[in-house]
Amino acid sequence: MTPQHHADTLVVGDSLAAAPDSIAVRPRQKTVRDVLRALPPDATPTEQDDAVQAAFPRDTLTWPEGVELSLPGIKAEPYAADLRPINEYETAFERHSPWKLERLPYRQEGVAGDPLPYRFRTDDYVTSALLLCFFLGAWVVARSFRFIRQQIKDFFFTRQHDNLFTPDAELRGQFFLVFQTCFVLGVLFFDYTQEYMTSVFNQVSPYKLLATDVALSLCYYAIKLTGYAFVNWIFFTKEQNERWSESYMLCLLALGTALYPVALLVVYFDLSFRATLIVCTVILCLVKVLLFYKCHAIFFQYRLGFLHLFLYFCTLEILPMLVLWRALVYANNYLVINF
């Protein structure tokens, strides 16, 4: 054994055993275990921690001048003992770290996100109204199925027949079909407002817009039915008026039924406005062609009937549609000005 190894074996605790004067003896450093063994057996964890910190004082951490310790979005500054946490959300790491973490201004203020636009599919009231229209429409069709089937046959093959239902029952069903068609038109025009009248859509409540569109559609059909009744009462017979009224309500039922799936696609599947416009235009054109055919078959089968038919049809069918469109646009702009 070398003298150096022999000298290391002579160290016991903190005292040195006798060793030759020519050998430099190196004392053993104190460890955390030694500090803990010197404490009473019943020392609490807090007392043990205080004893360890007193035996091993922590040196003040310094950092070279001109060098910053930072992470993306976080700036580090020397910690001061007299500083308190910035707010109640300061983490334990920030409280006990020798470096105080200061968040940069953009992290404090946050980044503004794009607000989600209003959608009918997230509105419980609109969804409930669409479901109600579906169930009531199915109930009306099921309740009057024989009557509707007979009307479809008579639409293309005119024949005399007795009414299968009482006037009151027929009137109630017809009124709901008119309301359903107006509600679907209101939903579709609301999509136009959201797409091309952004300033109106952002300033007016969606419920006011929808209610205004539906109310104007109801007024449109009420005025048009009144105009039909007045003109037909003057120029045509009672039988012709009844046949026209039944045919018109059948076309109105077809229009509301055909536009209802389009409204569902717009509300729940974000159908593009271009596609919506094309589909709605095709459906409206088909309905107008059917009305044109039935109007000619009922009223204008005589010579020069086509001339009178164009005047009659344009006055009571085409012109009111253009007036309705302008009225809807004007009413929505009026809501912005006055509300």
XYZ file of all heavy atoms in Angstrom, residues 31 178 204 216 221 246-247 256 272 299:
77
model
N -21.271 15.963 4.460
C -22.350 15.652 3.522
C -23.698 15.929 4.159
O -23.799 16.197 5.364
C -22.285 14.181 3.085
O -22.477 13.353 4.244
C -20.935 13.859 2.451
N -98.881 28.318 -46.601
C -98.418 29.653 -46.954
C -97.367 30.138 -45.958
O -96.324 30.694 -46.338
C -99.611 30.631 -47.005
C -99.119 32.061 -47.192
C -100.553 30.248 -48.138
N -77.747 44.531 -37.070
C -79.133 44.233 -36.727
C -79.210 42.815 -36.174
O -78.487 41.914 -36.618
C -80.051 44.388 -37.962
C -81.508 44.147 -37.586
C -79.885 45.772 -38.563
N -92.721 40.245 -44.390
C -92.906 40.806 -45.732
C -93.357 39.736 -46.727
O -94.163 40.011 -47.625
C -91.604 41.449 -46.213
C -91.253 42.788 -45.568
C -89.907 43.285 -46.071
C -92.327 43.819 -45.859
N -97.818 37.455 -50.110
C -98.794 36.453 -50.528
C -100.218 36.882 -50.190
O -101.165 36.570 -50.939
C -98.476 35.104 -49.890
C -97.392 34.359 -50.629
C -96.124 34.214 -50.096
C -97.637 33.811 -51.884
C -95.125 33.549 -50.773
C -96.644 33.136 -52.583
C -95.387 33.012 -52.019
O -94.402 32.354 -52.718
N -107.500 26.492 -56.251
C -106.971 25.178 -55.892
C -105.631 24.918 -56.576
O -104.696 24.387 -55.962
C -107.988 24.102 -56.271
C -109.274 24.148 -55.445
C -110.304 23.161 -55.936
O -110.036 22.504 -56.988
O -111.354 23.031 -55.294
N -105.521 25.286 -57.837
C -104.270 25.078 -58.563
C -103.139 25.937 -57.990
O -101.996 25.485 -57.875
C -104.461 25.397 -60.045
O -105.452 24.571 -60.611
N -93.075 25.485 -51.497
C -92.568 25.363 -50.130
C -91.879 24.038 -49.883
O -90.844 23.975 -49.204
N -73.216 27.056 -50.763
C -72.774 28.338 -51.296
C -73.959 29.119 -51.860
O -74.938 28.541 -52.349
C -71.718 28.131 -52.383
O -72.269 27.454 -53.498
N -108.330 30.242 -67.962
C -108.878 31.554 -68.290
C -108.766 31.957 -69.760
O -109.657 32.640 -70.280
C -108.178 32.638 -67.449
C -108.330 32.454 -65.967
C -107.227 32.491 -65.136
C -109.577 32.251 -65.400
C -107.355 32.352 -63.773
C -109.721 32.103 -64.024
C -108.606 32.145 -63.211
